[in-house]
Amino acid sequence: MAVAKEIRSKITSVKNTQKITKAMEMVAASKMRRAQDRMRAARPYAEKIRAAIGHLRFANPDFKHPFLSERPVKILGIIVISTDRGLCGSLNINLLKATAAVIRGAEARGESVQVCAIGTKALQFFKRLKYPIAASATHLGDRPQTAQLIGTVKVMLDGYRSGAIDRLVLVHNVFLNSMSQRAEVAQLLPVEPTGAGELQERWDYIYEPSAAEILDGILMRYVESQVYRGAVENVACEMAARMVAMKSASDNAGKLIEELQLVYNKARQAAITKELSEIVGGAAAV
Amino acid sequence: MANTIHVDIVSAEGQIYAGDASMVFAPAVEGEVGIAPRHAPLLTNLKPGEVRVQAPGEAEELSFFIGGGALEVQPNQVTVLADTAIRARDLDEAAALEARRRAEDAMQERTDKIELAEAQAELARAAAQLRAIERLRKKR
C-alpha cells in the first residue's frame, strides 16, 4: 500500500495548491473590477487638462514652453510601469520586451537612455542590465496615489528642463479587456499636439498670474496624470492577467488530480487483488 | 438656463462634483474669485482652500476642500482641476530626492544579493554537516 499512500499525499498537496490558486483568482477578479473603476475615474481629469492645454497652445502660438517644443534628441528618458509582484502570466515579460525594443531603437539612432522604473519588476530588469536608474518608485499597492508618483516624475521633468533628457516616453500596459492587455509606448514630452485643432473664434483667457506660470503648472500636472493613469491601468492589467493565469493553474491542478486519482485507484485495486490471491493461495496450500 | 454655469470639479483620482451653479467661489493664488455665469475666460492657479458652489434654488452652498490646482473658466463652463496631494515646491523637491535615493539604493542592493547568496550557501553547508553528524550517531 506504500505506493497508494504516496499518491494520496500527492493528491492532497495538489488539492491544497489548487485551493490557493482558486483563492488568488477570485481576489484578482474583485480587485480588477475596483481597479477598472479607478481607471475610469481618472479619465475626466486627463481629458479636461488636455483640452486646456490644447486651447492654450492654440491661443498662444508664439508662446514657447520647453515641454511643448521639439528638439533634437540625444538622450531619451523612459518611464516604465511594471507590477511589483509576479504570478501574472506574461504581462511583465511583454512589457519589458517592449521596453528593450525602445532602448534598442534609441541606441541604434545613437541616443543614450535614462530610465525611471516604477514597480519592482522593472527595477530588477534594469538592475540586471546595469542601466543607470534615475528614479524609482515601488510598492505602490493596489491603489496608487498621485502623491507616490510626484517625486519620481519630477526627477524626469527636471531632467527634461535642464536638458539631461530630450524626449520622455512612457512604457506601460494598456487594458483592452480582462483577457488581453498590451504593452504600449506613449510619448510624454514634448507634449504632442492634440488631434485636429478645431478652430473656433479667436479668444484668449485672462491669465492670473501669467500664462507661463500657469502653463508650467498645468503641463506638469498633465504628465503626472498620465503616469498616474498608467499606474492605475497597470494594476487593472496585473489583476486581469493574474486572474487568467490563476484560472489556468486551477484547471491544470484539476486535471492533475483526476489523473492521480486514476493512478491511485489502480494501485489500490492491484494491492487488494494481490492480498486476495495471497489468501486464496495460502488456503489452497493448507 | 441663462443664469447658471456648469461646474466640474475633477482630480486625477476621480470626479468630485459635476452640476450647475449660479455662482462659484474659488481660492485663486491672487485672492478668492467669484465666478458668475458668462464670466470672461480665465485661467488661474488655485491655492489650497475651499471651493464653494451655489446651486440654483438652494439656500446652502456646497463646499469642497481642495489642496490647490488650476481653474479654467469659459463663459458657460467652470472646471476646477484639483490636486489630490498637498503640493509645495519644497515638498515636491523632497519627493524627488526620495525617488532618486530609492533608485540608488536599488542599484547598490547588488552587494546585499551577494551577501544573501553567501549566507544561503553557508546555511546549506551547515545543514549538510548536521545531517552527516546525525547519520554517524545512528550508526554508533
Side-chain angles (χ1 to χ4, degrees), chain A residues 3 56 64 85 125 131 134 142 192 218 255 264 286:
Chain A
V3 186
L56 265 170
K64 284 274 173 275
R85 279 170 295 171
F125 173 74
Y131 270 101
D142 297 333
E192 283 172 328
I218 286 190
K255 259 184 232 156
Y264 168 71
V286 174

Side-chain angles (χ1 to χ4, degrees), chain A residues 43-114:
Chain A
R43 203 165 295 155
Y45 185 79
E47 273 166 16
K48 297 269 189 246
I49 224 164
R50 182 119 216 169
I53 292 174
H55 193 90
L56 265 170
R57 248 191 147 170
F58 171 64
N60 304 280
D62 48 330
F63 183 73
K64 284 274 173 275
H65 189 278
F67 284 4
L68 295 174
S69 42
E70 299 242 355
R71 58 186 190 217
V73 181
K74 281 196 238 56
I75 304 167
L76 176 70
I78 306 175
I79 299 181
V80 182
I81 306 179
S82 75
T83 68
D84 278 333
R85 279 170 295 171
L87 285 184
C88 48
S90 57
L91 188 70
N92 286 316
I93 297 158
N94 289 340
L95 180 83
L96 296 175
K97 255 190 211 156
T99 312
V102 171
I103 292 176
R104 244 177 291 151
E107 281 171 350
R109 285 193 300 272
E111 303 162 10
S112 56
V113 178
Q114 272 246 0

Side-chain angles (χ1 to χ4, degrees), chain B residues 32-45:
Chain B
E32 194 180 63
V33 288
I35 290 139
R38 294 194 297 278
H39 190 284
L42 167 75
L43 199 58
T44 181
N45 288 333

Side-chain angles (χ1 to χ4, degrees), chain A residues 38 41-42 44-45 48-49 52 55-56 123-124 127 130-138 144-148 150-152 154-155 158 203-209 213-214 217-218 220-221 224-225 228, chain B residues 8 10-15 28-30 33 39-45 68-70 72-74 77 79 81-85 87 89 92-93 95-100 102-104 106-107 109-110 113:
Chain A
R38 272 195 290 280
Y45 185 79
K48 297 269 189 246
I49 224 164
H55 193 90
L56 265 170
L123 194 63
Q124 280 163 4
K127 235 161 66 184
K130 302 210 162 54
Y131 270 101
I133 306 166
S136 84
T138 52
Q145 254 141 30
T146 331
Q148 296 167 301
I150 288 173
T152 317
K154 189 175 160 60
V155 171
D158 285 350
W203 54 275
D204 200 0
Y205 291 109
I206 305 167
Y207 298 102
E208 262 174 38
E213 223 165 291
I214 291 169
I218 286 190
M220 186 175 80
R221 286 186 174 82
E224 280 166 8
S225 81
Y228 168 76
Chain B
D8 280 310
V10 289
S11 79
E13 282 157 32
Q15 184 135 30
V29 278
E30 306 200 327
V33 288
H39 190 284
L42 167 75
L43 199 58
T44 181
N45 288 333
E72 190 209 5
V73 182
Q74 284 181 24
Q77 167 90 36
T79 311
L81 299 163
D83 287 340
T84 43
R87 311 289 299 253
R89 200 159 290 237
D92 284 9
E93 200 64 57
L97 280 177
E98 177 72 20
R100 228 174 258 145
R102 274 197 303 262
E104 277 158 18
M107 283 195 282
E109 231 172 66
R110 242 172 284 140
K113 280 263 170 69

Side-chain angles (χ1 to χ4, degrees), chain B residues 39-120:
Chain B
H39 190 284
L42 167 75
L43 199 58
T44 181
N45 288 333
L46 298 178
K47 56 187 181 190
E50 199 184 19
V51 174
R52 285 176 293 137
V53 176
Q54 215 164 53
E58 301 256 342
E60 293 252 328
E61 283 175 343
L62 297 165
S63 154
F64 305 90
F65 180 80
I66 59 157
L71 174 78
E72 190 209 5
V73 182
Q74 284 181 24
N76 48 16
Q77 167 90 36
V78 179
T79 311
V80 178
L81 299 163
D83 287 340
T84 43
I86 295 174
R87 311 289 299 253
R89 200 159 290 237
D90 295 348
L91 280 177
D92 284 9
E93 200 64 57
L97 280 177
E98 177 72 20
R100 228 174 258 145
R101 191 191 55 71
R102 274 197 303 262
E104 277 158 18
D105 280 0
M107 283 195 282
Q108 271 156 11
E109 231 172 66
R110 242 172 284 140
T111 53
D112 295 359
K113 280 263 170 69
I114 294 166
E115 275 167 20
L116 183 72
E118 271 173 359
Q120 269 170 344

